[in-house]
Amino acid sequence: MTRIGIIRHGSTEWNKEGRAQGSSDIPLNESGLLEAQQLATRLSNEQWDVIYTSPLSRAKTTAETIASEMNVVNIVLDDRLREVNGGLIEGTTEEERVAKWGANWRELDLGMEPKEQVFARILSLIQDVTEKHAGQNVLLVGHGSFIRHLFEVLLPTYKAETRLKNTSVSNIVLSNDTWQCELYNCTVHVDSK
């Protein structure tokens, strides 16, 4: 049985301001660094064999914090884990988008990465991870929109209705060629502080 733990990176200033980050490389803020450390402490009591991370600094720093606490030396940078490219909306708030492009801005071609392209890189990543690490526990450290797309493509009947929190943990398990969700959007390591 292959288990994949899916981690959303810690908080950034753009998260705090409600700005679309996409592929912009925004670092963790002080809160994000603390959240990453709290997550690392939580995960130190669990067995994870390898960590894959987006190369964007907010995810990479989160992954490195986890790895240092768990003494995991194998961190794999994988560009397929990067956040969905937001095109022209990156760096803007919802209010700014409505003011600039109107209330129906989501229907416009603003250069955002197509869903099919995101699905293709998710499937490529998951295939590689499950082949290389069959029967192991693998952490993926990525981004909110990417993770929502991952759930949509791997577990299409799973209704993930809540917004993903920073440093949330979600676990999926591959058993008999079927993905099942064991845990979704858990932040007990932050909420209990």
Side-chain angles (χ1 to χ4, degrees):
M1 191 164 57
T2 303
R3 174 173 284 110
I4 296 181
I6 305 161
I7 307 293
R8 183 177 181 215
H9 62 78
S11 300
T12 69
E13 283 307 305
W14 279 17
N15 285 141
K16 188 175 167 183
E17 296 168 5
R19 296 190 181 280
Q21 293 182 110
S23 59
S24 298
D25 198 6
I26 309 303
L28 296 180
N29 61 15
E30 280 188 42
S31 296
L33 292 168
L34 176 60
E35 292 163 353
Q37 186 57 56
Q38 292 168 330
L39 173 62
T41 300
R42 170 191 175 171
L43 294 177
S44 68
N45 297 320
E46 299 177 15
Q47 176 58 47
W48 296 98
D49 300 299
V50 61
I51 300 173
Y52 280 72
T53 184
S54 160
L56 295 175
S57 64
R58 58 192 183 271
K60 186 174 177 267
T61 301
T62 302
E64 289 168 345
T65 303
I66 294 166
S68 68
E69 188 76 26
M70 296 177 64
N71 296 317
V72 173
V73 293
N74 194 4
I75 297 179
V76 180
L77 292 178
D78 196 311
D79 196 53
R80 293 173 293 184
L81 274 160
R82 74 185 181 286
E83 181 59 296
V84 176
N85 188 315
L88 296 175
I89 73 163
E90 289 190 15
T92 65
T93 64
E94 176 70 19
E95 183 178 292
E96 290 168 343
R97 291 188 286 276
V98 170
K100 188 168 186 173
W101 298 297
N104 296 329
W105 64 267
R106 285 181 179 84
E107 299 167 17
L108 303 175
D109 181 4
L110 299 174
M112 295 182 282
E113 184 176 6
K115 187 182 224 180
E116 299 74 27
Q117 189 174 319
V118 179
F119 282 2
R121 62 183 166 96
I122 288 169
L123 291 172
S124 170
L125 171 71
I126 295 301
Q127 181 177 349
D128 286 352
V129 166
T130 54
E131 285 175 5
K132 290 177 184 171
H133 305 285
Q136 292 185 316
N137 296 327
V138 180
L139 281 179
L140 303 180
V141 182
H143 308 271
S145 185
F146 176 88
I147 295 168
R148 285 190 300 277
H149 282 81
L150 183 147
F151 268 83
E152 187 177 345
V153 75
L154 294 183
L155 295 103
T157 60
Y158 187 79
K159 299 298 178 207
E161 297 177 12
T162 56
R163 183 171 174 80
L164 286 164
K165 299 176 189 173
N166 290 101
T167 66
S168 64
V169 179
S170 301
N171 291 340
I172 60 174
V173 176
L174 180 62
S175 179
N176 300 322
D177 295 325
T178 303
W179 287 103
Q180 298 172 1
C181 182
E182 286 186 330
L183 182 68
Y184 183 75
N185 201 25
C186 180
T187 55
V188 65
H189 52 281
V190 175
D191 298 337
S192 64
K193 302 294 178 202

